[in-house]
Amino acid sequence: MSVLDGVVIIPVIRCNSPDVAVRVTEVLIDAGIRVAEITLTVPNAVDAIGRLARGDAGRRALIGAGTVTTADEVRDAIHAGAQFIVSPCLVPEVVDAAIAAGVPVMPGALTPTEILQAVRAGADLVKVFPAQSLGGPAYIKALRGPFPDLPLVPTGGVDLDNVADFMRAGATAVGVGSELVSRDALARGDYDEIGRRAERFVKAVANVKRAGAKPCF
């Protein structure tokens, strides 16, 4: 069983400093989200991952590393405390390094061929990216025809207007970036707005679960 089992909302945190990444993650956790993906595009991202993993956030949520593209980055992130690894595409050495360390890995894929290759390579989850650009929930629904049981995580364009549709289309979880942690809010330092938006995402997903909606495939 993966530590990511049961995870539904995966925030993708991109910002211009490790301090901001830490603060944003703490705000998201307080809003009810129990996982955070700190992308390695954040300056000194490994430092932010380490601070979060060793602090209170690490006791309350899963802290992972995103935009990981090399085996060395996998090892550095895990050494800092990352509990899962996300890559924007299928990089075999990234998958292999994560598996060797016993840490869940979620490579990115888009086409049916890439998705199946990712699963056969050992992916715990598959990041379907960019999901909205290729049809959004309708694309996830279409993939569920040949792949009814694969763990798909649409990312890219998931927002409050379509997150429920993605879940009903058969998404295992969703990755959410600027639609959750908006660039405008970051620029203003408006962490309250980020927290409110996170609460709305949590509520939207909870409503789908409470309704007992069945995947529409």
Side-chain angles (χ1 to χ4, degrees), residues 42-176:
V42 176
N44 299 313
V46 172
D47 172 65
I49 291 167
R51 288 160 58 188
L52 288 164
R54 293 191 300 269
D56 182 62
R59 290 184 287 274
R60 300 170 62 197
L62 299 171
I63 307 300
T67 321
V68 179
T69 57
T70 71
D72 285 342
E73 289 175 345
V74 172
R75 288 185 281 268
D76 289 344
I78 292 173
H79 181 73
Q83 294 170 278
F84 63 94
I85 298 294
V86 183
S87 179
C89 53
L90 177 57
V91 184
E93 70 177 78
V94 168
V95 176
D96 292 345
I99 291 173
V103 172
V105 59
M106 181 168 61
L110 185 59
T111 68
T113 297
E114 292 170 347
I115 289 167
L116 188 58
Q117 287 175 337
V119 171
R120 287 179 172 173
D124 295 88
L125 299 166
V126 180
K127 173 179 177 174
V128 182
F129 174 80
Q132 186 63 16
S133 298
L134 208 67
Y139 184 57
I140 299 302
K141 179 182 176 181
L143 289 172
R144 280 301 181 206
F147 303 134
D149 301 317
L150 297 190
L152 305 180
V153 183
T155 306
V158 179
D159 59 27
L160 283 165
D161 292 328
N162 62 27
V163 63
D165 292 333
F166 272 111
M167 298 306 299
R168 285 190 287 264
T172 300
V174 293
V176 190

